[in-house]
Amino acid sequence: MGREREPQKPQQQQPPQQQQQQVSYTVDQLVAINPYNPDILSELENNVNEQVSSQTYSLDANLCLLRFYQFEPERMSTQIVARILVKALMAMPAPDFGLCLFLIPERVQMEEQFKTLIVLSHYLEVCLCLCNFSCSNVWSERSFTYLFHLQTGRFRQFWDEAAKSRHIVEAVPGFEQAIQSYAIHLLSLTYQKVPRSVLAEAINVEGLSLDKFLEHLVANSGWILEKGHGKGQLIVLPRKEFNHPELKKNTADGIPLEHITRIFPILG
Amino acid sequence: MAAAGYDYEEQGREQQDSVYDPNYVPDSVKSFVVHLYRHIREKNVYEIHQMYDTSFQTLSERHFKDTPWPSVDAVAHFVDNDHVFCLLYREMWFRHLYARLTPTLKQRIDSWDNYCNLFQVVLHGVVNMQLPNQWLWDMVDEFVYQFQSFCQYRAKMRNKSEQEIALLKQFDQAWNVYGVLNFLQALVEKSMIIEILEREKEGLEQFTATDGYDYSGGSNVLKVLGYFSMVGLLRVHCLLGDYHSGLKCLLPIDISQQGVYTSVIGSHITTIYHYGFANLMLRRYVDAIREFSKILLYIYKTKQYHQKSPQYEQILKKNEQMYALLGICLLLCPQVKLVDETVNSQLREKYGEKMGRMQRYDDEAFGVYDELFSYACPKFITPSAPCFEEPLLNYNQDAYRLQLKLFLYEVKQQQLLAGVRTFLKVYSTISLGKLANYMEVDEPTLRTILLTYKHKTHAVDSEGKIISNADVDFYIDDDMVRVVESKPAKRYGDYFLRQIVKLEGVINDMDRIKLE
């Protein structure tokens, strides 16, 4: 063992029949079999591009690729890293973006395109409530200035900033929808009934398009439109244990059958 | 092996005591190796454990306080030049050296070479021994430790001699991160341990019940090394900052239950420490708090039995570190109810004052977070090879600084929520307008603060399910904030079931008593 490292000729080492099989492997299987085998590096890079074009996602494959970059920094492609980060942003509320950052050296994170992405992630992480944000050297000066300007920010600022960074995020299809679902996820954790204006701002959709959007959700996801008292429409969000805590209790009350079986002999 | 075929005596002895004669074997050492060798051949696990755990320490204390043990060549003829025994002897030889002296680069490379040979032999299935779990755990533990130590050593480039740099270049495969990970992974795979644990769940196999030992004459070495290698992988991944992958490696072990990992105190602590730390970094505070609390209580109750163990100091250190981590978790997620009462009072005693300062959310508070994290975090490593071009730069702090920065950034984001938490605690219902007024923000801002609160108090678990970490939760109904204090679900059912069984036992006992 103690793998001999031969980055120049990665393909030649593989026995031919294994290469054949790989065609039918999914990327997750490939990573599960070769978690520490840099021979699959270029395949993983191709897969990142494929995730972008086919709107799929594999955190494990991307972390594995970042791991290889971490082990052999000279093989790192910053373009691929940027794509991984955009995909990770789209996986919110999962902590994937942070997980990726843990593996990317600080000097790389200081590059302009990554700073922008990090700022976008901040907007999503704190939903822009930066009122108490005090000056500190925790983050780079530049990102900090961004944040400071947005003291009373809201989702609005995220969308504005994303619009400015079109060249990065627009290369990744489905970005807007992914962030919209994140916003909706957060709203439905928080609200039983949400005012139309709050929803509109969070998902960056207004007017007729919003009507269409809502129509779809009413038909498919159990959303209900209600008239608010004079302040425009209210949207009743589906009941979950997070916005209807009483739902949670019921699930915790059950006793598994195998516990009951312990007293069967006594009852009998 | 890359490092094979060099002249063993050539370098690397300067640092050690000049009176050390690697060929001198005291009688007690001769008797030690002869007996150990015999017990190993006879598969007498109990005696092996005694000699490994006690005699080796006693002899080290008496003869080798600040010198290495006799060289393997000097003892080999007492043990029929047994290849595997010599590999095991050298493994202990290096472990003793690392613990008491400073290894030279040559010795680090030699030790790597020895691990390669030893694991190679195990992986090829030619080992038919039965070794104590303690020893097998120590091998994995030491292997990862020496890897970490090598990375730290290599990253301090500035004061390397020319000779050292030449050696680093020549033996660039020694302690290579791919090599280390692939060995651990190979042990996991070759041992089939994941399948064994799976089959055990269905009652088709015994592993945990026998503490991993094989009572039908087979060897436990590969199986148990494979088992502990999963913990080893968790640790290596944590050192690299890859918490998600680390926890994935640990998945086959059910840490909510006793297992072989709890049969050795060092393994138990290492597992939970890294599990908790990884979960802390993944913001799954509840999981971290629960497991930290459990093991800290366990250490509190049992530490007196380990006072004489060579690991005692290590146990105490990890104990303190885990209290610090628990303190951090509880500040970011105030769920004190999850913590055992004894552990909680210990925590207040150790870190009460610091935690008070951390709650103030000023720059000083930040400093204390920094201090506790730096004290309690693993020794992060940069796994890549150094740049040999002048000027030679140290990079041993890079990995630690990145993890610290990202952690502190998370703390900063969490601190925004402290204000709103205070208000939510005192109201059961409050209108958005009124709350905004109290918090001195406008209503739209308040709405975003509340969204942030929800986001930060809800984590995503390993299966992608949303889990709540919130001590105080709420929901908004139109314009009203309704607060829900989370109460730990009282398990009445479970309680009654247990009492029924107990009562039945008491009645049975009473029935058995014959009154005269």
Side-chain angles (χ1 to χ4, degrees):
Chain A
M1 288 276 311
R3 274 191 43 80
E4 301 293 311
R5 192 153 49 106
E6 290 174 278
Q8 280 79 25
K9 41 172 186 171
Q11 295 303 326
Q12 292 163 14
Q13 282 186 323
Q14 280 165 357
Q17 113 249 29
Q18 202 182 334
Q19 252 184 352
Q20 283 282 307
Q21 281 177 352
Q22 279 181 8
V23 181
S24 55
Y25 281 159
T26 67
V27 69
D28 285 333
Q29 285 168 325
L30 183 71
V31 168
I33 297 167
N34 302 287
Y36 314 115
N37 177 1
D39 290 352
I40 65 169
L41 186 141
S42 58
E43 210 159 329
L44 291 180
E45 286 180 334
N46 292 338
N47 179 263
V48 172
N49 291 328
E50 202 181 304
Q51 288 179 32
V52 169
S53 56
S54 62
Q55 302 205 28
T56 51
Y57 182 57
S58 168
L59 174 66
D60 285 330
N62 295 351
L63 286 178
C64 184
L65 180 54
L66 289 175
R67 178 187 311 147
F68 296 148
Y69 287 159
Q70 188 189 23
F71 296 173
E72 298 172 84
E74 64 281 2
R75 297 178 77 181
M76 178 187 284
S77 149
T78 48
Q79 194 203 7
I80 295 284
V81 175
R83 292 189 167 175
I84 291 177
L85 284 176
V86 176
K87 289 300 265 186
L89 212 51
M90 290 162 66
M92 294 273 287
D96 301 8
F97 190 84
L99 296 186
C100 295
L101 284 192
F102 285 134
L103 299 177
I104 301 171
E106 203 173 351
R107 63 188 151 70
V108 178
Q109 293 187 23
M110 287 302 171
E111 280 180 31
E112 209 56 29
Q113 55 175 339
F114 297 120
K115 277 192 195 165
T116 311
L117 286 171
I118 289 167
V119 168
L120 287 178
S121 117
H122 293 324
Y123 291 162
L124 295 178
E125 276 294 324
V126 299
C127 315
L128 300 177
C129 72
L130 299 157
C131 345
N132 307 327
F133 214 97
S134 67
C135 189
S136 88
N137 51 7
V138 176
W139 211 248
S140 74
E141 278 307 313
R142 160 99 197 285
S143 330
F144 173 71
T145 333
Y146 260 129
L147 299 170
F148 202 72
H149 284 306
L150 296 164
Q151 295 209 337
T152 55
R154 298 191 279 281
F155 260 104
R156 158 84 29 241
Q157 265 79 13
F158 169 82
W159 293 110
D160 290 350
E161 190 60 36
K164 274 188 255 165
S165 320
R166 261 167 208 287
H167 57 290
I168 303 175
V169 295
E170 235 167 44
V172 181
F175 182 78
E176 198 175 343
Q177 291 89 317
I179 304 302
Q180 283 172 340
S181 358
Y182 166 61
I184 288 172
H185 154 80
L186 263 192
L187 290 173
S188 44
L189 288 188
T190 312
Y191 290 89
Q192 288 185 347
K193 295 173 186 176
V194 60
R196 183 184 160 108
S197 58
V198 172
L199 175 70
E201 188 182 296
I203 62 173
N204 199 31
V205 179
E206 276 164 343
L208 277 177
S209 328
L210 182 57
D211 286 336
K212 267 221 171 115
F213 191 90
L214 284 172
E215 214 172 276
H216 181 77
L217 286 164
V218 166
N220 296 297
S221 307
W223 288 30
I224 300 164
L225 304 183
E226 217 176 63
K227 239 184 125 74
H229 9 273
K231 296 172 299 185
Q233 221 168 23
L234 275 178
I235 295 128
V236 185
L237 296 171
R239 292 157 60 94
K240 287 189 185 163
E241 63 177 274
F242 303 107
N243 60 0
H244 284 266
E246 71 277 7
L247 295 176
K248 195 156 128 195
K249 253 197 214 151
N250 301 338
T251 52
D253 267 356
I255 300 171
L257 183 64
E258 60 263 35
H259 288 186
I260 306 261
T261 53
R262 279 188 305 196
I263 62 163
F264 277 0
I266 301 169
L267 296 175
Chain B
M1 259 324 81
Y6 47 80
D7 183 355
Y8 183 76
E9 294 298 324
E10 196 177 47
Q11 297 138 329
R13 291 263 173 261
E14 308 85 20
Q15 288 188 11
Q16 278 139 33
D17 204 339
S18 51
V19 296
Y20 168 63
D21 173 6
N23 294 315
Y24 171 65
V25 184
D27 283 348
S28 51
V29 170
K30 183 184 154 193
S31 140
F32 173 80
V33 288
V34 167
H35 281 97
L36 184 60
Y37 179 55
R38 198 179 79 206
H39 293 314
I40 289 178
R41 271 186 320 176
E42 289 168 359
K43 295 194 177 167
N44 188 338
V45 179
Y46 177 79
E47 284 300 333
I48 299 171
H49 188 255
Q50 289 303 311
M51 296 200 66
Y52 172 80
D53 208 37
T54 315
S55 315
F56 187 74
Q57 297 310 325
T58 322
L59 285 173
S60 297
E61 200 54 39
R62 198 180 308 152
H63 298 290
F64 311 108
K65 252 192 143 119
D66 39 24
T67 58
W69 274 58
S71 78
V72 68
D73 300 333
V75 300
H77 62 278
F78 297 124
V79 294
D80 311 335
N81 289 306
D82 186 274
H83 181 53
V84 179
F85 185 87
C86 287
L87 292 173
L88 290 172
Y89 179 86
R90 282 189 92 200
E91 200 270 338
M92 288 167 74
W93 190 93
F94 281 115
R95 186 137 34 97
H96 168 264
L97 176 94
Y98 269 77
R100 304 218 171 210
L101 306 155
T102 312
T104 63
L105 175 53
K106 199 67 181 36
Q107 286 165 336
R108 291 175 190 272
I109 296 170
D110 289 350
S111 180
W112 160 255
D113 208 34
N114 192 58
Y115 274 116
C116 290
N117 293 330
L118 178 60
F119 288 157
Q120 212 70 271
V121 169
V122 173
L123 286 168
H124 282 118
V126 271
V127 173
N128 60 359
M129 299 178 285
Q130 188 98 248
L131 293 182
N133 285 349
Q134 173 76 53
W135 193 349
L136 295 169
W137 161 252
D138 287 346
M139 270 184 221
V140 174
D141 187 46
E142 182 72 12
F143 178 64
V144 177
Y145 166 73
Q146 290 191 14
F147 166 61
Q148 171 203 307
S149 165
F150 182 83
C151 289
Q152 298 285 352
Y153 160 86
R154 182 179 56 182
K156 288 178 202 150
M157 284 298 283
R158 223 179 275 166
N159 44 16
K160 290 273 175 292
S161 68
E162 262 174 50
Q163 195 194 16
E164 282 174 311
I165 290 188
L167 270 179
L168 278 175
K169 283 183 184 164
Q170 190 186 347
F171 297 108
D172 66 341
Q173 291 304 302
W175 297 111
N176 175 291
V177 61
Y178 286 118
V180 170
L181 285 166
N182 277 317
F183 264 128
L184 294 171
Q185 177 72 11
L187 287 167
V188 173
E189 280 171 12
K190 214 47 196 277
S191 66
M192 310 277 286
I193 187 63
I194 297 177
E195 292 77 6
I196 290 174
L197 292 174
E198 232 7 85
R199 284 164 57 82
E200 186 178 51
K201 270 188 220 151
E202 292 156 30
L204 299 168
E205 186 124 17
Q206 282 206 326
F207 180 76
T208 311
T210 62
D211 265 346
Y213 293 108
D214 193 324
Y215 292 121
S216 49
S219 166
N220 68 335
V221 174
L222 178 57
K223 261 194 293 188
V224 177
L225 275 181
Y227 180 90
F228 285 136
S229 291
M230 294 190 283
V231 181
L233 282 170
L234 164 69
R235 181 165 161 209
V236 174
H237 280 296
C238 282
L239 293 174
L240 295 168
D242 191 353
Y243 310 108
H244 174 84
S245 308
L247 288 176
K248 231 178 156 176
C249 295
L250 193 69
L251 271 183
I253 301 180
D254 178 2
I255 59 147
S256 68
Q257 295 193 21
Q258 301 256 314
V260 174
Y261 78 100
T262 56
S263 69
V264 178
I265 181 81
S267 138
H268 192 182
I269 291 179
T270 301
T271 308
I272 300 302
Y273 167 80
H274 289 95
Y275 172 89
F277 186 80
N279 274 298
L280 163 64
M281 296 303 269
L282 292 174
R283 303 206 301 241
R284 296 181 197 145
Y285 304 114
V286 167
D287 291 331
I289 292 172
R290 196 179 299 120
E291 292 307 322
F292 279 144
S293 170
K294 262 168 41 187
I295 191 152
L296 288 169
L297 181 65
Y298 177 77
I299 297 174
Y300 181 82
K301 286 185 176 161
T302 58
K303 75 176 169 211
Q304 75 223 44
Y305 305 118
H306 297 287
Q307 261 166 16
K308 286 200 183 117
S309 145
Q311 282 101 21
Y312 188 57
E313 255 170 46
Q314 196 51 32
I315 293 172
L316 291 187
K317 167 129 201 242
K318 278 275 166 285
N319 187 54
E320 293 301 305
Q321 286 181 323
M322 286 194 286
Y323 272 109
L325 293 176
L326 178 63
I328 290 174
C329 288
L330 284 173
L331 286 168
L332 297 177
C333 170
Q335 297 257 43
V336 185
K337 290 169 206 151
L338 295 173
V339 181
D340 174 87
E341 211 24 71
T342 318
V343 173
N344 195 31
S345 69
Q346 287 283 309
L347 176 67
R348 300 290 145 189
E349 207 173 286
K350 290 174 198 286
Y351 292 109
E353 181 266 339
K354 286 209 165 97
M355 287 172 74
R357 281 195 282 150
M358 286 155 92
Q359 261 166 333
R360 272 192 248 136
Y361 313 112
D362 50 15
D363 280 355
E364 194 206 335
F366 232 59
V368 187
Y369 270 106
D370 183 330
E371 179 194 323
L372 284 197
F373 181 86
S374 304
Y375 165 69
C377 70
K379 289 218 173 344
F380 299 110
I381 52 172
T382 303
S384 53
C387 167
F388 291 110
E389 271 149 50
E390 297 283 348
L392 296 175
L393 294 172
N394 283 357
Y395 60 98
N396 55 318
Q397 295 279 312
D398 288 6
Y400 151 72
R401 272 202 299 260
L402 175 62
Q403 304 300 317
L404 173 68
K405 180 170 112 172
L406 293 169
F407 166 75
L408 286 180
Y409 194 73
E410 181 62 31
V411 170
K412 187 120 242 186
Q413 293 182 342
Q414 297 267 354
Q415 285 189 342
L416 303 175
L417 308 176
V420 70
R421 181 176 271 128
T422 320
F423 283 106
L424 291 177
K425 274 197 168 147
V426 288
Y427 289 95
S428 57
T429 313
I430 184 169
S431 76
L432 279 172
K434 209 162 152 192
L435 184 55
N437 202 7
Y438 289 151
M439 291 186 61
E440 298 171 1
V441 292
D442 60 11
E443 207 183 297
T445 308
L446 176 64
R447 283 184 193 272
T448 65
I449 294 177
L450 291 171
L451 279 188
T452 307
Y453 183 88
K454 276 283 186 179
H455 171 56
K456 290 293 187 192
T457 52
H458 289 75
V460 181
D461 72 5
S462 50
E463 282 133 41
K465 251 178 53 197
I466 304 290
I467 39 169
S468 170
N469 284 330
D471 53 327
V472 195
D473 210 346
F474 69 92
Y475 58 90
I476 305 175
D477 177 12
D478 196 5
D479 272 347
M480 293 303 277
V481 181
R482 295 181 202 278
V483 180
V484 192
E485 185 110 33
S486 86
K487 291 191 190 81
K490 282 249 170 65
R491 296 267 174 178
Y492 292 115
D494 206 42
Y495 180 78
F496 277 115
L497 282 177
R498 260 184 290 134
Q499 296 305 319
I500 290 169
V501 175
K502 226 177 182 175
L503 178 66
E504 185 67 13
V506 172
I507 292 175
N508 281 342
D509 285 349
M510 279 165 45
D511 281 349
R512 244 177 273 132
I513 296 169
K514 292 216 173 85
L515 293 175
E516 313 241 325

